[in-house]
Short mmCIF file of all heavy atoms in Angstrom, two decimals:
data_model
loop_
_atom_site.label_atom_id
_atom_site.label_comp_id
_atom_site.label_asym_id
_atom_site.label_seq_id
_atom_site.Cartn_x
_atom_site.Cartn_y
_atom_site.Cartn_z
N LYS A 578 2.81 35.12 10.55
CA LYS A 578 3.79 36.03 11.12
C LYS A 578 4.25 35.59 12.52
O LYS A 578 5.40 35.81 12.91
CB LYS A 578 3.23 37.46 11.24
CG LYS A 578 3.13 38.14 9.89
CD LYS A 578 2.66 39.56 10.07
CE LYS A 578 2.57 40.26 8.72
NZ LYS A 578 2.09 41.64 8.85
N ASP A 579 3.34 35.01 13.33
CA ASP A 579 3.70 34.66 14.71
C ASP A 579 3.38 33.18 14.98
O ASP A 579 3.02 32.45 14.03
CB ASP A 579 3.04 35.57 15.71
CG ASP A 579 1.51 35.54 15.57
OD1 ASP A 579 0.93 34.46 15.31
OD2 ASP A 579 0.86 36.60 15.77
N LEU A 580 3.52 32.75 16.20
CA LEU A 580 3.33 31.34 16.56
C LEU A 580 1.90 30.99 17.01
O LEU A 580 1.61 29.82 17.27
CB LEU A 580 4.27 30.96 17.69
CG LEU A 580 5.74 30.86 17.29
CD1 LEU A 580 6.59 30.67 18.54
CD2 LEU A 580 5.98 29.76 16.32
N ASP A 581 0.98 31.96 17.06
CA ASP A 581 -0.34 31.69 17.59
C ASP A 581 -1.11 30.63 16.77
O ASP A 581 -1.67 29.71 17.35
CB ASP A 581 -1.17 32.98 17.62
CG ASP A 581 -0.66 33.98 18.61
OD1 ASP A 581 0.15 33.59 19.51
OD2 ASP A 581 -0.98 35.19 18.49
N TYR A 582 -1.09 30.72 15.47
CA TYR A 582 -1.81 29.77 14.61
C TYR A 582 -1.15 28.40 14.68
O TYR A 582 -1.81 27.38 14.73
CB TYR A 582 -1.89 30.31 13.20
CG TYR A 582 -2.86 29.54 12.33
CD1 TYR A 582 -4.17 29.44 12.67
CD2 TYR A 582 -2.43 28.98 11.14
CE1 TYR A 582 -5.07 28.73 11.85
CE2 TYR A 582 -3.28 28.30 10.33
CZ TYR A 582 -4.63 28.17 10.69
OH TYR A 582 -5.49 27.50 9.90
N TYR A 583 0.17 28.38 14.70
CA TYR A 583 0.93 27.13 14.84
C TYR A 583 0.47 26.39 16.09
O TYR A 583 0.19 25.19 16.03
CB TYR A 583 2.41 27.48 14.92
CG TYR A 583 3.32 26.35 15.33
CD1 TYR A 583 3.80 25.45 14.39
CD2 TYR A 583 3.70 26.18 16.66
CE1 TYR A 583 4.65 24.41 14.78
CE2 TYR A 583 4.53 25.18 17.06
CZ TYR A 583 5.01 24.30 16.09
OH TYR A 583 5.83 23.25 16.49
N LYS A 584 0.36 27.10 17.19
CA LYS A 584 -0.07 26.50 18.46
C LYS A 584 -1.49 25.97 18.37
O LYS A 584 -1.81 24.89 18.90
CB LYS A 584 0.07 27.52 19.59
CG LYS A 584 1.52 27.88 19.93
CD LYS A 584 1.58 28.98 20.99
CE LYS A 584 2.99 29.39 21.25
NZ LYS A 584 3.03 30.53 22.19
N LYS A 585 -2.35 26.72 17.69
CA LYS A 585 -3.75 26.28 17.53
C LYS A 585 -3.83 24.98 16.74
O LYS A 585 -4.57 24.10 17.08
CB LYS A 585 -4.55 27.38 16.85
CG LYS A 585 -6.03 27.08 16.73
CD LYS A 585 -6.81 28.27 16.27
CE LYS A 585 -6.99 29.15 17.50
NZ LYS A 585 -7.98 30.17 17.33
N ILE A 586 -3.03 24.88 15.68
CA ILE A 586 -3.01 23.65 14.87
C ILE A 586 -2.56 22.48 15.73
O ILE A 586 -3.13 21.41 15.69
CB ILE A 586 -2.10 23.81 13.63
CG1 ILE A 586 -2.72 24.88 12.71
CG2 ILE A 586 -1.95 22.48 12.90
CD1 ILE A 586 -1.79 25.31 11.59
N LYS A 587 -1.50 22.68 16.52
CA LYS A 587 -0.97 21.65 17.38
C LYS A 587 -2.01 21.15 18.39
O LYS A 587 -2.06 19.96 18.72
CB LYS A 587 0.28 22.09 18.08
CG LYS A 587 1.40 22.34 17.10
CD LYS A 587 2.78 21.98 17.44
CE LYS A 587 3.17 20.84 18.16
NZ LYS A 587 3.87 19.82 17.37
N GLU A 588 -2.85 22.05 18.86
CA GLU A 588 -3.91 21.69 19.81
C GLU A 588 -4.88 20.68 19.20
O GLU A 588 -5.48 19.91 19.94
CB GLU A 588 -4.68 22.94 20.26
CG GLU A 588 -3.92 23.84 21.18
CD GLU A 588 -4.67 25.13 21.51
OE1 GLU A 588 -5.85 25.27 21.07
OE2 GLU A 588 -4.07 26.00 22.18
N PHE A 589 -5.03 20.70 17.88
CA PHE A 589 -5.87 19.73 17.21
C PHE A 589 -5.21 18.39 16.98
O PHE A 589 -5.79 17.46 16.43
CB PHE A 589 -6.36 20.30 15.84
CG PHE A 589 -7.48 21.25 15.95
CD1 PHE A 589 -7.24 22.62 15.91
CD2 PHE A 589 -8.80 20.83 16.10
CE1 PHE A 589 -8.27 23.54 15.99
CE2 PHE A 589 -9.84 21.72 16.17
CZ PHE A 589 -9.59 23.09 16.13
N GLY A 590 -3.91 18.27 17.36
CA GLY A 590 -3.19 17.02 17.17
C GLY A 590 -2.70 16.79 15.77
O GLY A 590 -2.40 15.65 15.36
N ILE A 591 -2.54 17.86 14.99
CA ILE A 591 -2.04 17.75 13.64
C ILE A 591 -0.57 18.18 13.63
O ILE A 591 -0.19 19.20 14.25
CB ILE A 591 -2.84 18.66 12.67
CG1 ILE A 591 -4.29 18.21 12.58
CG2 ILE A 591 -2.20 18.76 11.30
CD1 ILE A 591 -4.50 16.88 11.94
N GLU A 592 0.26 17.43 12.88
CA GLU A 592 1.63 17.81 12.77
C GLU A 592 1.76 19.10 11.95
O GLU A 592 1.10 19.26 10.90
CB GLU A 592 2.48 16.72 12.10
CG GLU A 592 3.95 17.01 12.11
CD GLU A 592 4.80 15.87 11.60
OE1 GLU A 592 4.30 14.76 11.47
OE2 GLU A 592 5.99 16.11 11.34
N VAL A 593 2.55 20.02 12.43
CA VAL A 593 2.70 21.32 11.76
C VAL A 593 4.17 21.74 11.81
O VAL A 593 4.85 21.52 12.83
CB VAL A 593 1.78 22.38 12.38
CG1 VAL A 593 2.04 22.57 13.83
CG2 VAL A 593 1.86 23.70 11.60
N ILE A 594 4.62 22.28 10.73
CA ILE A 594 6.00 22.81 10.63
C ILE A 594 5.86 24.31 10.52
O ILE A 594 5.13 24.81 9.66
CB ILE A 594 6.73 22.25 9.40
CG1 ILE A 594 6.88 20.71 9.52
CG2 ILE A 594 8.07 22.93 9.21
CD1 ILE A 594 7.34 20.06 8.23
N LYS A 595 6.56 25.03 11.35
CA LYS A 595 6.54 26.52 11.30
C LYS A 595 7.70 26.96 10.43
O LYS A 595 8.85 26.57 10.62
CB LYS A 595 6.67 27.08 12.72
CG LYS A 595 6.73 28.59 12.75
CD LYS A 595 5.36 29.19 12.39
CE LYS A 595 5.37 30.69 12.52
NZ LYS A 595 5.19 31.35 11.22
#
Side-chain angles (χ1 to χ4, degrees):
K578 287 183 180 181
D579 58 37
L580 289 173
D581 294 341
Y582 192 57
Y583 168 86
K584 291 175 184 175
K585 184 170 280 195
I586 294 168
K587 295 218 38 108
E588 288 175 5
F589 281 99
I591 296 293
E592 186 173 348
V593 59
I594 298 169
K595 178 69 177 115

